[in-house]
Amino acid sequence: MLDLDSAEDLAAVQALRMGVLRLARRLRHLRVDRTLSLAEMSAIGTLVRCGAMTLGELARQEHVQPPSMTRITAVLQDRGLVRLEPHPQDRRQKLVAATDQAKAILQANQKQRNEWLSELAAQLDEDEWARLRDAAPVLHKLAHL
């Protein structure tokens, strides 16, 4: 168990927080299409990862209010990045799905970010890279708790 009264644990938590924040900030700025907002890119990512869903489900996944998701989806639809499909069980609802164009943009972003991270990782020594590689699943778990 962590003890934030312990100087060592507190320093580790602070270093982790700052490192993750700075790295995330730098990664956010690496985008193939900078005309898309971070919220729009995040919605595309969720749709590609999870598949088609209702606007309400997408809003919950993205932690935004439904009216905000309606606006985001409208922009993406106008740009041909999402399409609305009939809901198989409820005619009153529509499913939002990512288009192939959206998937291509997402893949290009991921490729650009992976290449950038690879360049940074190449500057680490073997021991640092091994520790970072071992820590990656733990960071992934933290991000999803």
Side-chain angles (χ1 to χ4, degrees):
M1 185 61 66
L2 288 179
D3 177 10
L4 292 184
D5 291 328
S6 155
E8 187 176 319
D9 283 354
L10 180 59
V13 167
Q14 288 177 327
L16 177 62
R17 178 180 50 81
M18 290 305 300
V20 168
L21 285 173
R22 286 182 178 154
L23 192 58
R25 187 178 306 125
R26 291 176 72 187
L27 281 166
R28 272 194 302 271
H29 290 293
L30 289 173
R31 288 184 280 156
V32 171
D33 185 341
R34 295 185 63 79
T35 64
L36 290 170
S37 72
L38 295 174
E40 292 161 356
M41 282 302 302
S42 182
I44 289 170
T46 296
L47 290 170
V48 169
R49 192 173 48 259
C50 301
M53 61 184 70
T54 66
L55 279 170
E57 291 168 331
L58 184 56
R60 278 189 295 283
Q61 287 278 334
E62 292 296 300
H63 305 286
V64 299
Q65 295 299 313
S68 297
M69 188 50 64
T70 299
R71 286 189 296 278
I72 291 167
T73 303
V75 169
L76 295 174
Q77 187 178 15
D78 288 346
R79 295 197 49 188
L81 300 174
V82 299
R83 66 181 175 280
L84 298 180
E85 303 172 341
H87 193 286
Q89 286 88 31
D90 186 350
R91 289 184 182 181
R92 298 168 297 164
Q93 293 199 56
K94 299 275 187 198
L95 295 179
V96 183
T99 64
D100 289 340
Q101 182 183 354
K103 292 173 187 175
I105 289 171
L106 188 67
Q107 288 173 341
N109 273 340
Q110 290 170 343
K111 183 178 186 290
Q112 182 182 38
R113 290 171 177 175
N114 286 345
E115 289 171 353
W116 179 78
L117 276 173
S118 295
E119 290 171 13
L120 287 183
Q123 298 175 47
L124 301 174
D125 64 36
E126 285 184 39
D127 183 54
E128 289 170 326
W129 172 238
R131 287 185 295 166
L132 183 58
R133 193 175 52 239
D134 290 343
V138 178
L139 289 171
H140 184 80
K141 180 179 178 178
L142 278 176
H144 291 89
L145 288 178

